[in-house]
Structures are given as structure tokens and as C-alpha cells.
């Protein structure tokens, strides 16, 4: 039995969907523990492509998906996702935490309004209502999954919250009147439809752990979007790091056996905020084109840059990463020369850690080590030793710099384009 946690070590979109799907073959339960439908996890099985936003990736392998208490749920999107999966013959086995917070219509309105108000100082959110929903959770104004299942409770909560939200919407100058009856009817209908899934998932999960079942915890976003250790304030609003999984799933930290950090072989970021290794040149365009770097959720182009090992070391440190999964190594095929950032130059000093002050991050100049590239690789490679020598050297350098062993290398989006080390 094992409890394995998979997290992104960069700015999201590292290939968590692919890696979680791959490891799901051995799992009994696959658990999302934070984030919401700001996430977009892609799974490719043969010619079939699935893009999941809230439902855990393990359901594609027929495993039970748990949406933990730390997730924020947009019920409309979740029901649509379940329906889409049913249509494709992949009816998900699903459990939803009774404590998960619900994204309400005013969260989405306010997410958009705040971003618009900030103008060129915006965060570049996905406008899915994630930040406002987590803010309400902490401010104790949240509505939780269990509240949707009882109309009277929901009515009482809405009576308390809606006037405050209406005031905020009016202040932003948005012409949108929140209709209490309509919201109550719509969201209690969602509650009726989701009721079959809503349960005490933390109890289920701990029972499963005691029965020595295999659990896979599926992170969303990545360390640099963590609200505490990311490029704050250009982050999401949840804890994307290992620590977030125990709170967001309701398990003790001691039960986690493996922490897999996913590292894309280069760097991408969606939205605003500094990106020290960003390439605003032909190489950046090449990575975007070959890597199909367009957001799974918002279709926005992802900014691309060289691999930043200061970032990856920061992630490994904070989350106690025990092994790495390197993804999209194939995207580097054909580049004559590769660069990897090993430290930053900041105000004339060399630093080897990620600074807290956002202006310092923006001022950091990467210090690179240059590698010889490789022309191509065999997509059917089964072992690291089947890969080009220069690619092997690139992988070894990542291991040495992070002091964490590589357990998996992904050389294509499909399930089979995977090398277990
Ligand atoms: P996630 O949010 O971390 O799950 O990542 P996304 O699904 O948003 O983005 C990763 C993209 O890269 C998806 O389109 C995947 O199908 C694709 N992908 C994953 N691993 C590989 C790989 O090793 N090589 C290539 N070429 N594509 C990959
Ligand atoms: P996955 O799980 C990449 C980014 C947004 C924005 C910031 C805040 O697919 O890796 P939010 O809507 O969360 O308030 O936006 O976080 N962001 C992601 N970027 N992948 C994601 O998820 C992301 N989820 C949020 O672009 O910069
Ligand atoms: Mg994604």
C-alpha cells in the first residue's frame, strides 16, 4: 500500500494529468485536494484526449475519484464534466467532500470585476471565481457542498451573504442584480444532483489508508502559484505544495510515502507576474509551438522559457519532494543548444534561492549553464539509456542540482510515451 502525492514544481501545466493517469493504474483512489476549475489536466489515451478541470484524472483508468474538502467546486462545471465523461463512456466513480466550498455566481462576477479594475496591474486569473471563493472561505462567508443539499440552510446563508456581495458588485459599477430566488433554486437543484456523491470523504480516505489501499493525491497548479511560497501576489489562492494535501484531503502528514514533483523540461507560465527565464525570442516561440503551450482552461498562450532549477530546488525543499517526474523532454528535440538556470544575479550578487520580494524576482537575471542539444529521440524508448546521450546528460544534471532522483521521464503526451526509471 502507498500514499503518493503528485505536485507541480513550476507554474502549473507540468503534465500532472498525464503523470497522474499513468500512476493511476496502481491506485484505488485518486484525490484532488486544492484548486478548482482553474486547473486543466490533459490525459491522452491512444487517440482519445480528456481535459479534466475538477474531476480527478484517475477516473479515466476507472479509479474512484475524490474531490477533497480543500477543493473549490463550481457545481455547474462539475456536473457538465461528469456528463461529458458519461457521454464518452467513462462514467466516473466519484466522492465529493461535504466540506468543499462552492463557487457561487458572485465569485465569478467579482473575479472578473477585480481584474478589470486592476487593469495593467491585474493578476491574470482564470476568472473562474477561485480567489473570491477561497477569500470567502477564510472570511467565514463560504457555502459548502453540504449546504447545497438543504434548501433552508442555503436560503439562510444567501440571506446573510448576498447583500454584502451586491454592495461589492455595485461598488465596482457592474450592473448585475443578484436574484436570491433564482440562485437559491439553481443551487439547490445542483445540490439535489450532486447529493449522491457528497459524503465525509476524509473518513472514507482514512479508512482506505487503514485498509492499505493505494492512494494517489493529485495536485493542481504548481509551487510557484502557491499562495505562500509562489510569486505572490501573482499566484492562485490555495496551497499547491505538499503541505496543502493533508489539509485539503483530511489526512495526517505522516501517511504520505512518496512525493513526486513534476518538472517540465523547460518553463511555462500563464497570466501575469515575473518569469526570470522567459524567452521573448524565436526559441520561446519554438517551445510554445512545439510544446502546444496554450492554456487547457483558458486557451491563453503560455509564456515559455528555459528550465529554471532555482525554482525546482525551491519546490523540492518546501515540499520534501522524494522523486522527480520529468515531462515534455521531447519538446526540446532539435534545439542546437539548451540553457538551464542554476542561480540568479540580483543587484550584483549571485543568489541560489528564490527571493520573496516580487520586485526582486523581476530584477533577477538568470545565470545559465549551457548544454549541447540533441536532434531527436525514439518515441518508443523504454529506458533512459535509449535516449540520446545529450538528453541523458541533461537529466543527470537536473538530479545533481536538485539532489532528488528521477523516477519517471515523459517523452510524449500518450500513456505509452513514458519511461519508468
Ligand atoms: P497539467 O495541468 O499539469 O495536467 O498539464 P496540462 O494538461 O495543462 O498541459 C500539459 C500538456 O502537455 C498537455 O497537452 C499534455 O497532453 C502534454 N504533455 C504531457 N506530457 C508530455 C510530454 O512528455 N511530451 C509532450 N510533447 N506533451 C506532453
Ligand atoms: P493546472 O492545474 C497554469 C494561474 C492563472 C493566474 C493565477 C491565478 O492546469 O496546472 P486563479 O484563477 O487561480 O486565481 O489564477 O494562476 N493558474 C494556472 N496556471 N495552470 C493552472 O492549473 C493554473 N491555475 C491557475 O493563470 O496566473
Ligand atoms: Mg493545466
Amino acid at each position: 500500500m502507498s500514499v503518493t502525492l503528485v505536485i507541480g514544481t513550476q507554474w502549473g501545466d507540468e503534465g500532472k494529468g498525464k503523470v497522474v493517469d499513468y500512476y493511476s493504474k496502481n491506485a484505488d483512489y485518486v484525490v484532488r485536494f486544492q484548486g478548482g476549475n482553474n486547473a486543466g489536466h490533459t490525459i491522452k489515451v491512444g487517440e482519445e484526449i480528456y481535459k479534466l478541470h475538477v474531476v480527478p484524472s484517475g477516473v479515466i483508468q476507472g479509479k474512484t475519484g475524490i474531490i477533497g474538502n480543500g477543493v473549490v467546486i463550481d457545481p455547474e462545471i462539475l456536473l457538465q464534466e461528469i456528463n461529458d465523461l458519461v457521454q464518452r463512456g467513462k462514467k466516473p466513480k466519484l466522492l465529493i467532500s461535504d466540506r468543499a466550498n462552492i463557487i457561487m455566481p458572485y465569485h465569478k462576477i467579482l473575479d472578473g470585476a477585480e481584474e478589470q479594475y486592476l487593469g495593467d496591474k491585474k493578476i491574470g486569473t482564470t476568472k473562474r471565481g477561485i480567489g473570491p471563493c477561497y477569500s470567502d472561505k477564510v472570511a467565514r462567508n463560504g457555502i459548502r457542498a453540504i449546504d447545497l443539499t438543504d434548501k433552508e440552510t442555503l436560503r439562510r446563508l444567501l440571506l446573510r451573504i448576498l447583500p454584502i456581495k451586491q454592495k461589492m458588485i455595485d461598488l465596482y459599477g457592474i450592473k448585475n442584480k443578484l436574484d436570491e430566488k433564482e440562485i437559491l433554486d439553481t443551487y439547490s437543484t445542483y445540490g439535489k444532483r450532486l447529493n449522491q456523491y457528497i459524503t465525509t470523504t476524509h473518513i472514507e480516505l482514512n479508512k482506505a489508508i487503514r485498509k492499505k489501499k493505494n492512494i494517489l493525491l493529485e495536485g493542481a497548479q504548481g509551487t510557484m502559484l502557491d499562495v505562500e511560497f509562489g510569486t505572490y501576489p501573482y499566484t492562485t489562492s490555495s496551497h499547491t505544495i505538499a503541505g496543502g494535501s493533508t489539509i485539503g484531503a483530511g489526512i495526517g502528514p505522516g501517511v504520505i510515502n512518496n512525493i513526486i514533483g513534476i518538472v517540465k523540461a523547460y518553463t511555462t507560465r500563464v497570466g501575469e507576474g515575473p518569469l526570470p527565464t522567459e524567452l521573448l525570442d524565436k526559441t520561446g516561440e519554438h517551445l510554445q509551438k512545439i510544446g502546444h503551450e496554450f492554456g487547457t482552461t483558458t486557451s491563453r498562450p503560455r509564456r515559455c522559457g528555459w528550465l529554471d532549477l532555482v525554482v525546482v530546488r525551491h519546490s523540492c525543499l518546501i515540499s520534501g519532494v522524494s522523486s522527480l517526474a520529468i515531462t515534455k523532454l521531447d519538446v526540446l528535440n532539435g534545439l542546437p543548444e539548451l540553457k538551464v538556470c542554476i542561480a540568479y544575479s540580483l543587484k550584483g550578487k549571485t543568489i541560489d534561492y528564490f527571493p520573496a520580494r516580487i520586485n526582486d524576482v523581476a530584477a533577477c537575471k538568470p545565470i545559465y549553464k549551457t548544454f549541447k542539444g540533441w536532434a531527436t529521440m525514439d518515441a518508443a524508448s523504454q529506458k533512459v539509456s535509449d535516449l540520446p546521450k545529450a538528453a541523458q546528460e541533461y537529466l543527470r544534471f537536473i538530479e545533481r542540482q536538485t539532489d532528488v532522483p528521477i523516477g519517471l521521464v515523459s517523452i510524449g503526451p500518450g500513456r505509452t510515451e513514458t519511461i519508468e526509471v
Side-chain angles (χ1 to χ4, degrees), residues 12-18 40-42 44 291 296 302 327-331 410-413:
D13 303 327
E14 296 90 350
K16 296 175 291 291
K18 150 134 195 192
H41 295 180
T42 315
K44 185 167 182 279
T296 309
R302 295 174 183 151
T327 57
K328 303 192 96 162
L329 190 65
D330 55 300
V331 175
S410 171
I411 54 169

Side-chain angles (χ1 to χ4, degrees), residues 161-185:
I161 295 159
L162 286 187
I164 305 173
K165 299 300 166 189
Q166 188 65 62
K167 269 210 161 66
M168 291 171 75
I169 290 169
D170 294 346
L171 271 175
Y172 278 115
I174 291 172
K175 301 216 176 325
N176 199 322
K177 287 281 163 241
L178 298 172
D179 183 331
E180 187 217 309
K181 184 177 172 334
E182 191 191 319
I183 297 175
L184 179 63
D185 287 347

Side-chain angles (χ1 to χ4, degrees), residues 57-77:
S57 298
V59 302
I60 304 301
Q61 294 253 30
K63 304 309 165 85
T64 301
I66 293 186
I67 300 181
N69 52 280
V71 175
V72 287
I73 300 173
D74 185 328
E76 186 185 354
I77 301 292

Side-chain angles (χ1 to χ4, degrees), residues 242-254:
S245 69
T246 68
I247 297 175
I251 54 171

Side-chain angles (χ1 to χ4, degrees), residues 26-137:
N26 302 322
D28 298 297
Y29 294 88
V30 181
V31 187
R32 276 279 306 270
F33 55 86
Q34 47 70 231
N37 60 309
N38 48 350
H41 295 180
T42 315
I43 298 138
K44 185 167 182 279
V45 190
E47 291 314 304
E48 292 290 317
I49 294 180
Y50 301 90
K51 292 178 188 290
L52 299 180
H53 301 282
V54 211
V55 172
S57 298
V59 302
I60 304 301
Q61 294 253 30
K63 304 309 165 85
T64 301
I66 293 186
I67 300 181
N69 52 280
V71 175
V72 287
I73 300 173
D74 185 328
E76 186 185 354
I77 301 292
L78 173 57
L79 283 161
Q80 205 175 303
E81 202 162 295
I82 296 171
N83 197 36
D84 288 350
L85 285 166
V86 170
Q87 298 294 317
R88 296 179 70 176
K90 291 275 174 195
K91 186 175 192 290
K93 283 188 263 170
L94 209 57
L95 302 173
I96 300 172
S97 169
D98 47 5
R99 287 163 166 81
N101 274 64
I102 299 298
I103 300 175
M104 300 297 289
Y106 46 81
H107 291 138
K108 291 181 267 191
I109 297 169
L110 288 168
D111 197 353
E114 232 171 86
E115 286 283 276
Q116 197 179 354
Y117 186 79
L118 284 167
D120 62 2
K121 296 178 195 67
K122 68 176 191 272
I123 289 165
T125 73
T126 59
K127 298 191 186 161
R128 299 301 192 262
I130 305 294
C133 184
Y134 275 116
S135 303
D136 269 354
K137 171 179 174 171

